Structure formats: C-alpha cells, structure tokens
Amino acid sequence: MSSQGYSFLFVGLSFALYIGIAFWSRVASTREFYVAGGGVHPIVNGMATAADWMSAASFLSVAGLIAFAGRDGSVYIIGWTGGFVLLALLLAPYLRKFGRFTVPEFIGDRYYSNAARVVAVICLLFISFTYIAGQMRGVGIVFSRFLEVDIDTGVVVGMAIVFVYAVMGGMKGITYTQVAQYCVLIFAFLVPAVFLSIMWTDNPIPQLGFGSRLNDGSGLTVLQKLDQVTVELGFSAYTQSHRSVIDSVAIVAALMIGTAGLPHVIVRFFTVPRVSDARRSAGYALAFICVMYTTIPAVAVFARLNLSESVNEAAYATAPAWVKNWENTGLIAWQDKNDDGIIQYRAGAPFAPAKPEFTAARGRHGERLLGNAPGANANELYVDPDIMVMANPEIAGLPGWVIGLIAAGAVAAALSTAAGLLLVISSSVSHDLLKRTFAPSISDRAELRCARLAAVAAILVAGWFGINPPAFVAQTVAFAFGMAAATLFPAIVLGIFSKRVNQPGAVTGMLAGLAFTLGYIVYFNFVAPELNQPEHWLLGISPTGIGALGALLNTAVAIAISRVTAPPPIAVQEMVDDIRIPSGAGIAHHH
C-alpha cells in the first residue's frame, strides 16, 4: 500500500472515530454546549486540555522552527510549557471557583460593567482569529500533501471538515473527541521520533537519543555532528544563539503569560466538578504535554540532519521521491542558479517569503520555479519550515504507514485546537455579546442558533487567513499569545488579586495593551517589514515578544487610573475576597 493509501486509511479511520464520538455526545442544553455539563474527570480533562492546547503549531511548526532556528527556537518551548504552570497555579482554581462560562463573563462581572465585557470580547476575537489562522494553515498543509493539491485547496477542504465537526457537538462532543485526538496525535508524533532515534543512535528513546553518540562510528554526539554539518554548509553553528538576551526573555514572558490568558484553555477548567479538580487537571495536562514537548527538539535535530544528508549535492533528476511529492503543494522548491542540475543546499536566505509565488513554467530539469525566490545567494533550495515534521518520515525513508500516521496526527492536532477556538469565538458572541449584553431576553434555543452561526462566520474568516497567512504557523500563533498577554491576562490577574482595580482602570488598561501590541506587530510585519530588524525595535524587543511590554503597560495603566477614580462597589470587593478564600474556610464565624 502506498503512503498516500495509508494516509487516507488512517485519516479516514480517525475521522470515523471523531464523528462517532460527536454523534454519541450530541448536546441538548447550552450548559452542555459551553462546559460539557461540568462533570468531566480530571485525567480526561487533562488529556482534552493537552489536545486543545497542542495545536498544529506544536505538532507541525515548532519542530520545523527549531530545525532551522537552532538554539534560538528554544524560547518557544520554554515559554509555552512554562505558561501552563502559571495557569495552573495563578488562574485556573480561582476562575473555576468564580464559576463563569467564559473569560469575558468573568471580566464583565468582576468589573461590574457591560463595557468591560465588550472590550474583553473584542480582545478575545483578535486573539482567537490570529490563533485559528495558524490552525487553518496547518490543516491546509496536511490536506495539500496527501490529497496532492496546492495549499489553498487544502485549506478549503480543512474548513469544510472543521465546520461539520465543531458546529455539531459543542463542548461535550469536543471534550471526548479531544481525548481521542490526544491519543492519535501523541502516537503519531512519537512513532517516527523513535524510528529516527534508533536510525541515528540505536537509542529507542528520542529524548535520550538527542544527546547520544551517533552509531556511525564517528564518535560524535548528535549535536556535534549537526554543528559540523551546518558550519560546513556555511550556516552558523546549530547550537549558537543570535537572539539578544532581552528579546529572548521578552518572548518567553509573552508566551508564558499569553498561555495563561488563552480563553480556549481557561474555559476547559470550567468542565470539571470541583475547584481541586481544576488544579489537578492542569497538572495532568502538563504531564501529557511534556511527552510531546520533550520529544520536539529531538525531532527537529533529526529532521535537519536528514534534510542536509538527503538533498545536498543530489542531482535533481535522481532526487529522492519526497522532493517531487512536496513540490506539488507549493511548500518546497528548487531553483537551479548555476545550471548544473544539482541541488545546492547552502547558507543563504533560509526562509523565502511567507507565501511563495509559483510560476507555471517548469525549469530545464522539470523543477517547480519560484517567481520571487531570493536570487542573490548560493542557496538553491526553498523549504517551508512548517513541512519538516510531515516530510521527515519520507526524507528518512520510513515505511508508508508511518507517513500515514503523521498525516492523521497532524489533522488531529489542528482540528482539536480549531474546534476549541471556534467554540470560544461562538460562545463569546452568542453568550457574552447577546445573552449578557445586548439581548438578555433571548431564549436558550435562539442562543444556540446564534452560537452556531457565529462559528460559521468564524470558519470563513479563519479560512481566509489560512490562505493569506501573516507569517508561518508558529509565528502566527506566537502573535496570538502576545495579544493574550497584553490584554486579558493583566485584567484577570488584577481582578483576582487586587480589590482596588476598578472598571475604568481595567477597560483603559486592556485597550492600551491591545492598541500598543497590535500596532507594533502590524507596523513591523505589514507597514514597514524592511525595518523589522533589532536596531529598529523598541528596547531591542521583536514583535513576537512585544506582548510582554504590552502586559506591563496594561497593568500600569489599570493601576494608575484605578488610583484616581472611585473604588469598586463593596459587593465586588467582597466577591474578590470570596474567590480567594478556599471553600469551607470561612464557615465558623458566620454563626
């Protein structure tokens, strides 16, 4: 059976499983649609949270990013996993005790105003759309490869599938499908990693293989070999860092507090019965996530070694089959600059533009041509970093069923997050904007209908972003985290830990954080991309890390304005005290 046959088989079987689960757990009430009825076991919830959080960026893009960026890519792993610890300790238990379905609902009630709720919804829509654009592109990459179509068609196919899937089941269907998706995606990620680790080092545990000696008798460790290979090709050593310390710290901070402010992850903690279960499920989620995140660096290193060994100095006419297979998706291309028919993979512009333009003409050797490939350097190969994980088994010549498994895993990763985000977008529109703000008398049935309509609109917008992405997947997702860090996180933390912060403070703070962070990202990525260099950045902080400054700005503005305006009503101050006292602690003195 061909690898494409296996891809259809595994993706088909996993879909049958997800759709079966969605039917089995169809929802009747809004409580089930939003928070799965509130009766999910912590281990189950931990698994679902891990699947919800490990998106197409985790599965496809982070390893590809680290494969090319080397040590500088590690900020993504540190920031994203560290944020989970912050979420478990600082926010999850308190929000669960407060007992609201959505983040804007908490912000609206804590800051006693519809204005605060509406601002929170606006911030949340910005975050979720940026995030879901990355997922749609991830889904597109998978479908484009195994249906052998270009990436835009892949995105459209993905949109259709996400639609069926999120609109039917609501949170209850999504929770149990996400458990299935976690199992699929973790198995799909580990199997090739184990294969590759054995292939290079004879060690079956990729996390250990990453630091082991190679089995080729050279006596070199994996990283020493990769440093040697990258330097020989003219790149800087793989383990050398180019990012300034302040930028690294800012990116880690933005990703950490961004994770802790992510609406689709926070909402998972409302699906468990008790407050203690919220903390426990965060612990389980972190353990489940670590299985994948400790494997990612190994996958990245083996992928880069495979790529360097497989194509460099290979004649295009006899190039490995995977090059030709991936060319059709428009995510890899070769341009024969010195007309010798041989692929030179050398230092040069490592990333071509986010969206390469393909010309219809084929080159002299039959290769796909890039209309806007950078021509001034020695590098003839353009590889989109987002394909490294999916192409890796093909590059290494692993059996067809492993390639099929990866396709199923990548689809599971992108779908689980896209579904969680669609739910957050639709519930914030139907529940926070309509039910709680503009149409309080709306019936349960009408609210559900509006939630589904909002999900449809969200899919269309997300699909458009998937076809015209602002950057590659991991970077697009990092922008979403920066915006979450600069807007929702300070409002939630101040709302839990400060009785003095009031409505004018919180609203102004969120707007200041959003305007500053979004403005900075848009300016450097779209208005003046040629200035997107460390010497032009504010304090040397890149657009990826600017959310950390946005969060400081938000906090400072909120506290300053709260100091000069009236304190919150007594009832709200008592509510804040109540959120922080463990249930059952204050019973004695009431009698």
Side-chain angles (χ1 to χ4, degrees):
M1 203 163 158
S2 70
S3 54
Q4 192 183 14
Y6 278 116
S7 297
F8 276 115
L9 177 69
F10 287 145
V11 173
L13 285 175
S14 60
F15 268 19
L17 175 68
Y18 308 150
I19 289 169
I21 293 173
F23 267 115
W24 165 72
S25 53
R26 273 204 312 277
V27 296
S29 71
T30 47
R31 182 170 163 79
E32 288 197 328
F33 190 85
Y34 293 139
V35 293
V40 179
H41 189 279
I43 293 190
V44 172
N45 195 44
M47 234 183 224
T49 307
D52 202 345
W53 186 78
M54 288 195 295
S55 60
S58 299
F59 192 94
L60 291 174
S61 196
V62 179
L65 198 71
I66 294 173
F68 288 108
R71 184 174 150 190
D72 282 337
S74 60
V75 291
Y76 290 93
I77 290 190
I78 299 167
W80 276 332
T81 42
F84 229 83
V85 179
L86 209 59
L87 180 64
L89 298 177
L90 266 189
L91 304 184
Y94 303 113
L95 286 172
R96 175 67 188 84
K97 184 159 183 220
F98 189 73
R100 292 289 178 268
F101 286 154
T102 66
V103 173
E105 204 171 9
F106 167 77
I107 289 178
D109 288 5
R110 164 61 184 84
Y111 297 114
Y112 50 96
S113 81
N114 283 341
R117 184 180 303 119
V118 172
V119 170
V121 170
I122 292 167
C123 296
L124 184 140
L125 292 176
F126 267 112
I127 295 162
S128 303
F129 276 126
T130 312
Y131 200 156
I132 205 169
Q135 307 315 314
M136 283 300 180
R137 182 159 168 81
V139 175
I141 288 170
V142 180
F143 284 117
S144 66
R145 168 65 191 91
F146 84 86
L147 299 176
E148 298 185 351
V149 291
D150 67 49
I151 179 149
D152 296 354
T153 317
V155 172
V156 175
V157 174
M159 281 162 67
I161 285 164
V162 170
F163 169 72
V164 170
Y165 171 84
V167 175
M168 268 184 4
M171 191 56 142
K172 189 173 175 192
I174 286 175
T175 297
Y176 294 104
T177 12
Q178 279 174 337
V179 172
Q181 281 162 337
Y182 176 80
C183 300
V184 171
L185 77 87
I186 214 73
F187 187 66
F189 199 79
L190 288 178
V191 168
V194 170
F195 262 105
L196 290 166
S197 187
I198 293 172
M199 193 174 100
W200 285 95
T201 67
D202 297 332
N203 190 329
I205 302 168
Q207 290 89 329
L208 299 176
F210 177 59
S212 305
R213 290 193 189 287
L214 292 164
N215 55 14
D216 60 2
S218 64
L220 295 174
T221 63
V222 174
L223 285 172
Q224 284 168 337
K225 167 80 173 174
L226 190 54
D227 273 352
Q228 185 185 327
V229 169
T230 46
V231 170
E232 276 171 13
L233 292 177
F235 299 92
S236 56
Y238 186 78
T239 52
Q240 189 183 335
S241 178
H242 299 285
R243 194 176 266 132
S244 68
V245 174
I246 181 159
D247 193 27
S248 299
V249 170
I251 293 176
V252 168
L255 295 180
M256 271 181 76
I257 59 183
T259 300
L262 271 187
H264 73 288
V265 174
I266 289 174
V267 84
R268 295 243 45 114
F269 295 106
F270 298 135
T271 61
V272 290
R274 285 186 303 278
V275 177
S276 59
D277 294 336
R279 237 192 209 117
R280 203 169 300 133
S281 57
Y284 283 124
L286 193 60
F288 288 130
I289 287 168
C290 278
V291 176
M292 178 142 146
Y293 264 66
T294 51
T295 316
I296 285 176
V299 171
V301 166
F302 294 136
R304 183 68 186 267
L305 271 175
N306 281 334
L307 178 71
S308 309
E309 304 258 310
S310 160
V311 293
N312 188 43
E313 303 296 340
Y316 179 81
T318 57
W322 67 269
V323 176
K324 313 258 192 348
N325 293 343
W326 276 98
E327 270 189 331
N328 297 331
T329 63
L331 298 169
I332 185 169
W334 168 64
Q335 202 168 27
D336 195 11
K337 293 180 181 168
N338 54 5
D339 210 24
D340 60 356
I342 288 177
I343 301 173
Q344 259 91 35
Y345 173 53
R346 291 274 184 281
F351 296 130
K355 194 154 192 217
E357 294 157 17
F358 285 96
T359 50
R362 291 254 168 184
R364 197 166 64 82
H365 309 283
E367 74 271 21
R368 281 296 287 263
L369 292 178
L370 275 179
N372 55 359
N377 52 56
N379 190 14
E380 299 184 342
L381 191 68
Y382 161 66
V383 181
D384 187 308
D386 290 339
I387 72 170
M388 287 305 284
V389 168
M390 279 199 71
N392 205 1
E394 290 182 72
I395 298 174
L398 299 184
W401 63 269
V402 179
I403 298 165
L405 192 62
I406 279 260
V411 172
L415 285 183
S416 59
T417 305
L421 284 164
L422 285 173
L423 200 72
V424 162
I425 292 171
S426 62
S427 62
S428 64
V429 171
S430 62
H431 192 71
D432 298 313
L433 283 185
L434 293 177
K435 180 83 174 170
R436 295 293 307 267
T437 313
F438 298 121
S441 57
I442 190 171
S443 71
D444 236 20
R445 171 170 289 180
E447 189 187 338
L448 258 181
R449 191 178 311 120
C450 291
R452 293 192 160 132
L453 283 173
V456 174
I459 289 173
L460 294 175
V461 176
W464 186 86
F465 276 121
I467 291 171
N468 304 292
F472 49 96
V473 178
Q475 219 176 5
T476 306
V477 169
F479 292 152
F481 279 78
M483 286 195 281
T487 54
L488 299 179
F489 180 79
I492 297 170
V493 171
L494 292 171
I496 294 171
F497 294 101
S498 159
K499 286 193 287 192
R500 185 67 186 81
V501 174
N502 60 13
Q503 178 232 330
V507 172
T508 326
M510 282 192 288
L511 289 173
L514 179 67
F516 171 72
T517 309
L518 189 63
Y520 195 87
I521 290 173
V522 168
Y523 178 75
F524 279 117
N525 284 292
F526 301 104
V527 180
E530 68 284 353
L531 296 178
N532 198 354
Q533 297 296 333
E535 60 269 21
H536 300 295
W537 294 339
L538 177 63
L539 304 176
I541 295 175
S542 64
T544 317
I546 201 65
L549 275 189
L552 291 175
L553 177 73
N554 179 338
T555 309
V557 168
I559 291 173
I561 289 186
S562 300
R563 283 270 177 272
V564 296
T565 45
I570 297 297
V572 171
Q573 299 191 35
E574 285 175 350
M575 175 176 84
V576 174
D577 274 337
D578 184 55
I579 297 178
R580 292 213 305 274
I581 296 166
S583 24
I587 296 170
H589 62 242
H590 286 300
H591 297 302

